[in-house]
Amino acid sequence: MKNLSPESKARLRSRSRLVHLGRDAETSQGFINLPAFRGSTVLFPDVATMKSRKQRYTYGTHGTPTIDALAEAWTAIAGAAGAVLAPTGMAAIAVALMSALSAGDHLLMTDSAYEPTRTFCQGTLKRMGVETTYYDPRIGAGIEALFRANTKAVFLESPGSLSLEVQDVPAIAAIAHARSACVIADNTWATPLNFPPHAHGVDLAIDAGTKYLGGHADLLLGLISANAAWLKRLAATHDEFAIPPGPEDVFLALRGLRTMEIRLREAERQSLELARWLGARPETLRVLHPALPDHPDHALWRRDFTGASGLFSIILKPVSERSVAAMLDGLELFGLGYSWGGYESLVIPFDCSRARSATRWAPGGPALRFSVGLEDIDDLKDDLARGFERLNATA
Ligand SMILES: *Cc1c(COP(=O)(O)O)cnc(C)c1O
């Protein structure tokens, strides 16, 4: 195996990059996959080298070849100046926010954020003297009116968790940059394969690698990529926290990287077919899938995204909680559980009204979120059709 030249790295198309980035023939001694380097101590050959601070690896918290391989690959995939890894997606969000904010600062946070992100704002950030204002994810350029003299960061998540509003990222980023505020985005739904964050004006982009990068529901990982303006600050903050991910999880994420694009494309295809099928069911009130033309933000999605993922929601026509439980409890292929982006299909019932303060969540019926996996689409439809029979039998 030859290592990729910098020219090849730049020239290769996405799928080839996913296969070849982050591999080094010398480090892996010819084996295709790099091993999971584990360790705290790294030895120095002599005192002079130790004092020179020139040795690449010095201690387990400051990086390993396995971590570097994934960080370098992710940097290229995200179109970033650099990237750092954290043990979970939520830890990555916390590090990004702590990189941009100090006591006395003001944060603009999308009302559609992943709920633990809100909890971090109301907990740690509040204690640290950072005030958060939540804004309507569909605010677009109207966000200008919410800026204060001390607004230092705007946080976006597009599409939003559970409710899937698409945000006008370039418009919000332009306004934030005119006021020297950092633009942070949780890009987990799209991944850089469907939304290159830095090309759209994002300074710090977060991806919960737990989802599509891992892809097999067996690891936790967070990635933060930065543009040139924010990389130094991010790297310093990340280093102060000393939170490398576990070696096994990084190894598995590197393995997930190789198949990420084909899994994501298949998830997109399956989710579109299932979303259309669900939309045609008499029990469904509405489908929330940004890649479907009747989604209110479909035009924005078409403008900025190159694809969709397998995560979407639906609103059922009004029906009792007992009927929804009867539908979900009997499903054979759809697992009931948190997280998403794995090979197995999942569903959860949700009500995000308690996690919204700038907008009102009143969808008109019970809400379900689907993460569509790799099972045969007709088997998935059969499973749900039997679920609707149970729902109707108890209605
Ligand atoms: C799951 C998720 C996270 C957090 O990832 P963990 O690894 O579970 O901490 C962050 N943002 C979004 C949008 C997520 O869905």
Side-chain angles (χ1 to χ4, degrees), residues 88-90 93 114 157 161 186 188 208 210-211 220-221 340:
T88 66
M90 191 53 226
I93 290 167
Y114 177 62
E157 184 181 323
S161 272
D186 183 336
T188 304
T210 306
K211 311 292 164 53
L220 291 162
L221 188 80
W340 46 276

Side-chain angles (χ1 to χ4, degrees), residues 209-227:
T210 306
K211 311 292 164 53
Y212 281 111
L213 175 57
H216 296 72
D218 53 5
L219 66 85
L220 291 162
L221 188 80
L223 307 100
I224 317 161
S225 56
N227 59 15

